[in-house]
Amino acid sequence: MNLGDLVVRKSYGGDVTFRVEGMRQNNNIVIKGTEFRLLADAPIDDLVTVPHPSLSERTKQAQIKANESLDRLQKHRQEQSERQLASLRNIEGGQLADKGYFDVPGKVLHLDGDPQYLKKSLALYNQLRVPAEGHYINESGMADSLYRLLPRVRPDIVVITGHDGVLKRRQPYDLYSLDSYKNSHNFVTAIQVARQYERNLDSLVIVAGACQSHFEALLQAGANFASSPGRILIHALDPVYVAAKAAYTSVRDTVNIHDVVHHTISGSQGVGGIETRGSYRIGLPKLQDLSTLKVTPSVS
């Protein structure tokens, strides 16, 4: 078994496809979900390698849902553009609509505890034309990083994600105690720092959490959207979906919670949130390409 191999766990019925990330003592293998934000370790005799084109059924379904979510976002974008044009045509007999308009979507600051998921997330932001700045930061260092990054980046939306999970070594489980989670306490501290910077829930939208995170604690700390109400595995790109939805929802409207909850890849057990205004604005008239402008200097 080599680094980078795709594997499934026999003890879980091969439900999730992982990639081998490293080796530990006692023949334990560090594995990371290819589609889900899950970092784990397993005995080598519990793992079965699978061909690279081959994926578990659950992983295949996650990829299908990811494509469906992307299609919905793009459809929402098209419908919004049509509504904007229709609205502009009602202003001054359509003269402003003839000049067009330009988009000002919300800006995202994305902190991720996993470099590969961050890379995927930034690629999706770029595909969706969402302005985003991303940083790979260990979950324990996110709060300190936000002190430095928030005043410089001045985002409309902050995504705080990485790896999390219920600590199985702690029995019995207390799902309402932060001590039962791998990184939920780090996410809570980071959210609190962001809320000290901007207390208005609509001026700074916070999307926080990862797999099995303490949903209630993240919301109480000040997150607008969080995982995971059902303490389930969430898809690696679910935080991106929520952030993109907020970035392209008009400041005059609230983000459709039904869409966010039910149309994310992980569904209503994976993500929840509270009523929140969008961050998208339009500008008039349409911006020109500065390279084509010819300016005649004035003579004094």
Side-chain angles (χ1 to χ4, degrees), residues 9 17 26 28 35 39 44 46 48 52 78 87 150-151 185 194 204 232 259 261 276 292 294:
R9 295 179 294 186
T17 303
N26 303 323
N28 268 12
E35 298 293 324
L39 184 67
I44 192 170
D46 188 35
V48 177
H52 271 256
Q78 179 61 34
S87 176
L150 284 169
H185 64 287
L204 182 65
I232 67 169
D259 284 351
V261 169
T276 302
T292 65
K294 295 182 180 180

Side-chain angles (χ1 to χ4, degrees), residues 105-111 122 125 130-135 153-160 204-205 207 239-240 242-248 279:
K107 183 179 181 180
V108 176
L109 171 61
H110 184 118
L111 304 189
L122 291 176
Y125 286 128
V130 175
E133 179 173 323
H135 295 268
V153 180
R154 300 179 63 83
D156 302 290
I157 303 158
V158 174
V159 175
I160 302 168
L204 182 65
V205 178
V207 183
V240 177
V242 178
K245 189 76 172 177
Y248 270 93
S279 302

Side-chain angles (χ1 to χ4, degrees), residues 6-264:
L6 295 183
V7 296
V8 295
R9 295 179 294 186
K10 291 186 290 186
S11 59
Y12 285 78
D15 60 339
V16 175
T17 303
F18 295 86
R19 193 178 305 278
V20 174
E21 289 291 307
M23 312 288 182
R24 288 181 177 167
Q25 295 179 347
N26 303 323
N27 287 326
N28 268 12
I29 307 296
V30 180
I31 53 178
K32 183 168 67 179
T34 58
E35 298 293 324
F36 296 94
R37 286 186 172 271
L38 178 60
L39 184 67
D41 58 77
I44 192 170
D45 58 6
D46 188 35
L47 300 177
V48 177
T49 58
V50 296
H52 271 256
S54 176
L55 297 172
S56 69
E57 188 60 32
R58 187 174 180 181
T59 301
K60 289 179 182 177
Q61 290 300 315
Q63 290 184 343
I64 292 172
K65 288 185 177 181
N67 291 331
E68 291 174 348
S69 294
L70 177 60
D71 289 342
R72 279 192 291 266
L73 280 173
Q74 292 173 331
K75 182 180 179 181
H76 173 260
R77 184 79 47 79
Q78 179 61 34
E79 291 174 347
Q80 179 165 269
S81 295
E82 292 172 357
R83 287 196 299 269
Q84 298 290 3
L85 285 173
S87 176
L88 290 175
R89 290 192 179 99
N90 291 328
I91 302 175
E92 295 188 11
Q95 293 179 12
L96 291 178
D98 295 338
K99 297 179 181 179
Y101 67 94
F102 59 94
D103 295 315
V104 186
K107 183 179 181 180
V108 176
L109 171 61
H110 184 118
L111 304 189
D112 208 312
D114 187 287
Q116 294 182 1
Y117 293 154
L118 174 62
K119 185 177 180 180
K120 288 184 178 181
S121 297
L122 291 176
L124 186 53
Y125 286 128
N126 184 62
Q127 183 178 352
L128 294 171
R129 294 186 292 110
V130 175
E133 179 173 323
H135 295 268
Y136 162 49
I137 299 171
N138 185 276
E139 290 84 354
S140 62
M142 288 180 174
D144 288 340
S145 296
L146 284 172
Y147 277 116
R148 171 177 52 86
L149 290 170
L150 284 169
R152 179 180 67 78
V153 180
R154 300 179 63 83
D156 302 290
I157 303 158
V158 174
V159 175
I160 302 168
T161 188
H163 295 290
D164 206 355
V166 179
L167 298 173
K168 292 186 177 181
R169 65 177 179 270
R170 305 208 171 166
Q171 297 284 354
Y173 300 145
D174 181 2
L175 294 181
Y176 292 97
S177 170
L178 283 172
D179 292 335
S180 297
Y181 295 83
K182 181 178 181 180
N183 274 314
S184 287
H185 64 287
N186 288 320
F187 295 146
V188 164
T189 304
I191 293 167
Q192 290 171 339
V193 169
R195 276 290 162 244
Q196 289 172 5
Y197 171 78
E198 177 53 72
R199 297 188 180 278
N200 189 305
L201 294 174
D202 293 323
S203 297
L204 182 65
V205 178
I206 300 176
V207 183
C211 285
Q212 298 182 323
S213 288
H214 192 324
F215 170 73
E216 295 82 3
L218 301 188
L219 284 188
Q220 289 170 5
N224 300 71
F225 302 96
S227 61
S228 158
R231 306 307 194 265
I232 67 169
L233 306 183
I234 71 167
H235 192 274
L237 298 178
D238 270 340
V240 177
Y241 178 92
V242 178
K245 189 76 172 177
Y248 270 93
T249 296
S250 173
V251 293
R252 296 174 292 176
D253 302 324
T254 57
V255 179
N256 190 315
I257 298 180
H258 181 274
D259 284 351
V260 169
V261 169
H262 295 284
H263 292 165
T264 51

